[in-house]
Amino acid sequence: MKRNVLIIGAGGVAQVVAHKCAQNNDVLGEIHIASRTLSKCEAILETVRDKAAMKTDGVLKAHQVDAMDSAAVAALIRDTGAQIVINVGSAFVNMTVLDACLETGAAYIDTAIHEDPAKICEIPPWYGNYEWKKRDLCAERGVTAILGAGFDPGVVNAFARFAIDRMDEVKSIDIVDINAGSHGKYFATNFDPEINFREFTGTVYYWEDQQWKETRMFESGRDWDLPVVGTQRAYQSGHDEVHSLATNYPQADVRFWMGFGEHYINVFTVLQNLGLLSEQPVTTAEGQKVVPLKLVKAVLPDPASLAPDYTGKTCIGDLVKGVKDGEEVEIFVYNVADHKDAYEEVGSQGISYTAGVPPVAAAMLVATGEWDAGTMKNVEEMDPKPFFTLLDGMGLPTRIKDAQGDRPWNA
Amino acid sequence: MKRNVLIIGAGGVAQVVAHKCAQNNDVLGEIHIASRTLSKCEAILETVRDKAAMKTDGVLKAHQVDAMDSAAVAALIRDTGAQIVINVGSAFVNMTVLDACLETGAAYIDTAIHEDPAKICEIPPWYGNYEWKKRDLCAERGVTAILGAGFDPGVVNAFARFAIDRMDEVKSIDIVDINAGSHGKYFATNFDPEINFREFTGTVYYWEDQQWKETRMFESGRDWDLPVVGTQRAYQSGHDEVHSLATNYPQADVRFWMGFGEHYINVFTVLQNLGLLSEQPVTTAEGQKVVPLKLVKAVLPDPASLAPDYTGKTCIGDLVKGVKDGEEVEIFVYNVADHKDAYEEVGSQGISYTAGVPPVAAAMLVATGEWDAGTMKNVEEMDPKPFFTLLDGMGLPTRIKDAQGDRPWNA
């Protein structure tokens, strides 16, 4: 059954979402996109038309909305007849958009956890601070909400579930995110610098020995030997999926590792030590109040601008260890994506591509009913197989590597 | 003859100036200090009283003034009966303060070149863009203006003159400024970060083969083996005194070298490459216009706050090469100062100390008539010997090192 989609947001990920919705509008129906700035939405739809991405004739329309205004979002859902909302706006708008879905009955899908602009790194599990407080209400009203359905969180949660389903007992889940691509700039972040840096400036929480443990960014590093991208150094980082996986699989250690080069770490360290990554305003000699992180965001390249010159590949996967038939086993479930391929298909770089394709697959599964849970779920609570099947055909094939070799997940 | 002094500015250098004026108020008369923020002036006078620095009973008074308002400065000069103005305010106020001196007949002394907030690194010689345009008017009205009478520019100009006076022909002047002290912070500048970074972000001009040549900061580095501080790496930097010395001694090569550690260069390079040292405003996503350099200044430690924990020494000197009696000769004229000694005496760190003592010596020479030129002069145009004699007794002794050994300048 076709279901109209409303995309919230107009950044690099929203562009990927729009293209992928268009490519699948035989399943998804009308495509609406809304953000604070109408012209940004229109620019995205222009790229969709340029690539002739619409699979069948259909509605493709831009709207202006303040996503912090729940009533305005609800009105737009009603006006557009949207039955699925894909929220890829700023991480600060999750709760107002979710409220609008609860109000209207539309299904809700997002790709990152809610954040309060004034707080960094709240107490674990992070989902407990905001989203999960609405879980009972979702169930009561039969509203489907699929949380964290990007790549990480999202596909990596499904990777974990897939691996765990093949074992009798899970012992550890290590999620590794390596971007071995090159954008050719002195320094840039791959998505909104404000959100990007906020991930790294607070406490890094991880789950070990059935309890939350803490470290700091770049304190815990390890070399990983991975398919295609080779040996890469990655550091324990705070990440959304650690908080849901640790809650759903408390018997397993859960850690997230992100790859960083020396140059990135150096620039980050300088900015952080100088106080330039702070979300708290400082006052200049002239009396102007400025949030340093917002200025840093303003001087860095727009992540979307990196796409045309981005080359190289990403490798994101889960190393899951456990026990099967009394034997210790391990499996690496992963995807490799190519920046240039992503740009050629949808005009975006690989990081936006990996984040933007999965929520569209999730939306299609909601539309077909397979993931239409009628309540709030994290991705590891859903069947991963139809998700992988869709992603295989949408540009993000899943592979596995274990004692039996390296092959497609369903080979 | 006692002459009342008006100090413009209330930063670290102004504090040193106030203490040194107080210690010499038998020559200088009343001491007035004025800046935009009255409380900063009062705080400085409080430290003067704490140290019982006044040599004889006398007036010590704080005032509020906007130094960008020439008429207000002139009115304050008249109100206070000031006959000498020591301008150690922001480099942006030189011309308005100089105009007030031209208006009232008071002698003018500063320690750094005038700067336009909107411009970085103008065409050489820098003094020609602003100060020297008023030279004829100074002469016409008989107003003494001693430009650049800090340490560098200032004492190093006198070092050059002293060395040149001992030769038949000068071939090169290399000014070397090494701060081998440690402030214990992750990163800090030794004086106003805004002015500090502005020195390094533009073209580095130097004078060689009787013409202006250009390089960029940190491109031209050299190790210097110096008294007390040992071997130190320094880099060619743009600096005021190169512009007057090259004009007054066009036959000599004139270069300025500033010492930097790897850590300083790394932080500077990151900030500059990201655009965070720009004096041009950028607009944040929220629409706020912010000058990056002003935010960087706001997050860095106040240079004055470094004083209590600063240890180690500075060495600043001129290596002058030339010909004497047909032989190639060279001489290094220099001073070594100690951060801790400076703090104990006047509550400031060594960089402020070396910058703040010399203009007071210059003021005393104006008061005694020895440097009361009745026109505009750079320091190398004045007799260096009475200047050195005063500085020897004020905490900044001059030494020389040549083929005959290392000794006081007058030994």
Side-chain angles (χ1 to χ4, degrees):
Chain A
M1 180 176 43
K2 287 176 78 147
R3 296 210 203 173
N4 293 352
V5 172
L6 170 61
I7 304 163
I8 301 285
V13 177
Q15 175 160 333
V16 177
V17 170
H19 277 259
K20 285 295 176 184
C21 285
Q23 291 174 15
N24 294 283
N25 75 330
D26 53 333
V27 179
L28 292 172
E30 294 183 11
I31 300 162
H32 298 273
I33 180 166
S35 80
R36 201 165 41 178
T37 313
L38 183 64
S39 60
K40 284 189 171 182
C41 298
E42 283 166 343
I44 286 175
L45 296 191
E46 193 59 37
T47 70
V48 173
R49 283 187 284 264
D50 282 351
K51 297 270 187 193
M54 295 285 273
K55 186 163 184 182
T56 67
D57 281 349
V59 171
L60 187 66
K61 199 167 167 201
H63 307 264
Q64 195 279 332
V65 77
D66 174 4
M68 299 289 276
D69 179 348
S70 196
V73 177
L76 185 58
I77 291 170
R78 289 196 183 98
D79 287 352
T80 55
Q83 291 167 286
I84 300 173
V85 175
I86 301 179
N87 171 26
V88 284
S90 143
F92 307 139
V93 306
N94 284 16
M95 297 315 289
T96 46
V97 175
L98 177 57
D99 283 344
C101 289
L102 279 161
E103 176 69 23
T104 57
Y108 173 86
I109 297 169
D110 68 24
T111 64
I113 209 156
H114 183 77
E115 294 192 45
D116 180 329
K119 295 181 186 169
I120 277 191
C121 203
E122 301 183 89
I123 48 164
W126 287 345
Y127 285 104
N129 299 311
Y130 301 102
E131 286 86 347
W132 287 348
K133 290 181 176 170
K134 301 280 184 172
R135 189 158 43 186
D136 290 347
L137 197 58
C138 283
E140 196 178 297
R141 298 194 183 173
V143 170
T144 296
I146 308 292
L147 302 180
F151 206 99
D152 42 340
V155 177
V156 297
N157 303 51
F159 287 169
R161 166 71 182 270
F162 177 79
I164 292 165
D165 282 352
R166 296 159 67 103
M167 300 175 177
D168 301 324
E169 182 193 344
V170 58
K171 293 199 157 182
S172 65
I173 305 164
D174 285 286
I175 302 153
V176 188
D177 179 336
I178 300 291
N179 175 15
S182 169
H183 49 58
K185 306 271 184 193
Y186 173 74
F187 185 82
T189 56
N190 291 302
F191 56 102
D192 183 349
E194 197 175 349
I195 302 301
N196 193 233
F197 287 131
R198 286 170 62 100
E199 275 189 1
F200 309 145
T201 49
T203 302
V204 172
Y205 292 108
Y206 61 103
W207 183 257
E208 248 177 34
D209 306 325
Q210 309 210 31
Q211 58 186 305
W212 288 109
K213 296 189 176 178
E214 301 181 10
T215 181
R216 305 288 303 178
M217 198 62 206
F218 305 124
E219 278 188 0
S220 169
R222 194 181 134 178
D223 286 332
W224 295 84
D225 183 19
L226 300 178
V228 184
V229 299
T231 299
Q232 300 277 346
R233 190 156 190 85
Y235 297 83
Q236 274 207 66
S237 315
H239 233 243
D240 309 359
E241 56 270 41
V242 173
H243 296 256
S244 67
L245 288 168
T247 303
N248 288 315
Y249 302 104
Q251 69 275 30
D253 294 340
V254 186
R255 293 168 290 248
F256 179 90
W257 306 80
M258 186 164 277
F260 293 97
E262 291 303 314
H263 174 64
Y264 186 103
I265 295 172
N266 178 47
V267 171
F268 175 86
T269 303
V270 167
L271 293 176
Q272 184 172 38
N273 281 335
L274 294 181
L276 287 168
L277 300 185
S278 173
E279 80 290 2
Q280 299 296 329
V282 298
T283 305
T284 69
E286 293 74 22
Q288 187 183 24
K289 283 199 191 305
V290 181
V291 173
L293 186 50
K294 291 190 183 291
L295 176 73
V296 168
K297 175 176 170 172
V299 299
L300 290 183
D302 177 352
S305 75
L306 306 175
D309 301 316
Y310 226 127
T311 57
K313 294 181 193 295
T314 63
C315 176
I316 312 175
D318 293 23
L319 179 66
V320 183
K321 296 186 181 180
V323 177
K324 172 73 177 172
D325 300 330
E327 305 263 309
E328 304 256 322
V329 291
E330 64 177 69
I331 181 170
F332 187 63
V333 190
Y334 73 99
N335 165 262
V336 169
D338 184 279
H339 287 286
K340 201 155 171 292
D341 291 349
Y343 182 66
E344 285 170 5
E345 183 191 334
V346 299
S348 296
Q349 34 102 335
I351 308 297
S352 301
Y353 190 85
T354 55
V357 172
V360 180
M364 291 164 70
L365 294 174
V366 170
T368 60
E370 287 162 285
W371 277 23
D372 196 7
T375 185
M376 177 179 282
K377 294 286 186 185
N378 288 85
V379 170
E380 66 271 27
E381 298 177 83
M382 309 306 294
D383 182 359
K385 293 183 292 298
F387 193 39
F388 292 171
T389 301
L390 277 181
L391 291 172
D392 282 351
M394 291 171 77
L396 293 177
T398 298
R399 295 181 65 87
I400 55 177
K401 186 179 177 185
D402 60 12
Q404 282 72 55
D406 186 334
R407 60 203 184 276
W409 68 278
N410 52 358
Chain B
M1 178 178 41
K2 288 175 76 145
R3 297 211 200 170
N4 294 353
V5 172
L6 170 61
I7 304 162
I8 301 284
V13 177
Q15 176 159 332
V16 177
V17 170
H19 277 260
K20 286 294 175 184
C21 286
Q23 292 174 14
N24 295 282
N25 74 331
D26 53 332
V27 178
L28 291 172
E30 293 184 10
I31 301 162
H32 298 273
I33 180 166
S35 80
R36 201 165 41 178
T37 313
L38 183 64
S39 59
K40 284 190 171 182
C41 298
E42 283 168 343
I44 285 175
L45 297 190
E46 194 59 37
T47 71
V48 173
R49 282 187 285 265
D50 282 352
K51 297 271 186 192
M54 295 284 275
K55 186 163 184 181
T56 68
D57 281 348
V59 171
L60 186 67
K61 201 168 166 198
H63 306 265
Q64 196 278 333
V65 76
D66 174 4
M68 299 289 275
D69 180 348
S70 196
V73 177
L76 185 59
I77 290 171
R78 290 196 183 98
D79 286 352
T80 55
Q83 291 166 288
I84 299 172
V85 176
I86 300 179
N87 171 26
V88 284
S90 142
F92 307 140
V93 306
N94 284 16
M95 298 315 289
T96 46
V97 175
L98 177 57
D99 283 345
C101 290
L102 279 162
E103 175 70 25
T104 57
Y108 173 85
I109 296 169
D110 67 26
T111 64
I113 210 155
H114 183 77
E115 294 192 44
D116 180 329
K119 295 182 187 170
I120 276 191
C121 202
E122 302 183 270
I123 47 164
W126 287 346
Y127 284 105
N129 298 313
Y130 300 101
E131 286 87 348
W132 288 348
K133 290 181 175 169
K134 301 280 183 172
R135 190 157 44 186
D136 290 349
L137 197 60
C138 283
E140 196 180 294
R141 297 194 184 172
V143 170
T144 295
I146 308 290
L147 302 180
F151 206 99
D152 43 339
V155 177
V156 298
N157 303 52
F159 286 168
R161 166 71 181 270
F162 176 79
I164 291 166
D165 282 351
R166 294 159 68 104
M167 300 176 178
D168 301 323
E169 182 192 344
V170 57
K171 293 200 157 180
S172 65
I173 305 164
D174 285 287
I175 302 153
V176 188
D177 179 335
I178 300 291
N179 175 15
S182 169
H183 50 57
K185 305 271 184 193
Y186 174 74
F187 185 83
T189 56
N190 290 302
F191 56 101
D192 184 349
E194 197 174 349
I195 303 300
N196 193 235
F197 286 131
R198 287 170 62 99
E199 274 188 4
F200 310 144
T201 49
T203 303
V204 172
Y205 291 109
Y206 61 103
W207 183 257
E208 247 176 37
D209 307 325
Q210 308 212 31
Q211 59 186 305
W212 288 109
K213 296 190 176 177
E214 300 182 9
T215 180
R216 304 289 304 178
M217 197 63 206
F218 303 126
E219 278 188 1
S220 167
R222 195 180 134 178
D223 286 333
W224 295 83
D225 183 20
L226 300 177
V228 184
V229 299
T231 299
Q232 300 276 347
R233 188 153 192 88
Y235 297 82
Q236 274 208 66
S237 315
H239 232 243
D240 310 0
E241 55 270 40
V242 173
H243 296 256
S244 67
L245 288 168
T247 304
N248 288 315
Y249 302 105
Q251 69 276 30
D253 294 341
V254 186
R255 292 167 291 247
F256 180 89
W257 306 80
M258 186 164 280
F260 292 97
E262 291 304 314
H263 175 64
Y264 185 103
I265 295 173
N266 178 47
V267 172
F268 174 86
T269 303
V270 167
L271 293 176
Q272 184 173 37
N273 281 335
L274 294 181
L276 287 167
L277 300 185
S278 173
E279 80 289 4
Q280 300 295 330
V282 298
T283 306
T284 69
E286 293 74 21
Q288 187 184 25
K289 282 198 191 305
V290 181
V291 173
L293 186 50
K294 290 188 183 293
L295 176 73
V296 169
K297 174 175 170 172
V299 299
L300 290 182
D302 177 352
S305 74
L306 306 174
D309 300 316
Y310 226 127
T311 56
K313 295 181 193 295
T314 62
C315 177
I316 312 175
D318 293 22
L319 179 66
V320 182
K321 296 185 181 181
V323 178
K324 171 73 176 172
D325 301 331
E327 305 263 310
E328 303 256 322
V329 291
E330 64 176 70
I331 181 171
F332 186 62
V333 190
Y334 73 99
N335 166 262
V336 169
D338 184 278
H339 287 286
K340 201 157 172 292
D341 290 350
Y343 182 66
E344 284 170 5
E345 184 191 332
V346 299
S348 296
Q349 34 103 335
I351 307 297
S352 301
Y353 191 84
T354 55
V357 172
V360 180
M364 291 164 70
L365 293 175
V366 169
T368 60
E370 287 161 284
W371 276 22
D372 196 7
T375 185
M376 177 178 283
K377 294 285 185 186
N378 288 84
V379 171
E380 66 271 27
E381 299 175 84
M382 310 305 294
D383 183 359
K385 294 183 294 297
F387 193 39
F388 292 170
T389 301
L390 277 180
L391 291 171
D392 281 351
M394 292 171 77
L396 293 178
T398 298
R399 295 182 64 87
I400 55 177
K401 185 177 176 186
D402 60 12
Q404 283 72 55
D406 186 334
R407 60 203 185 276
W409 67 279
N410 52 358

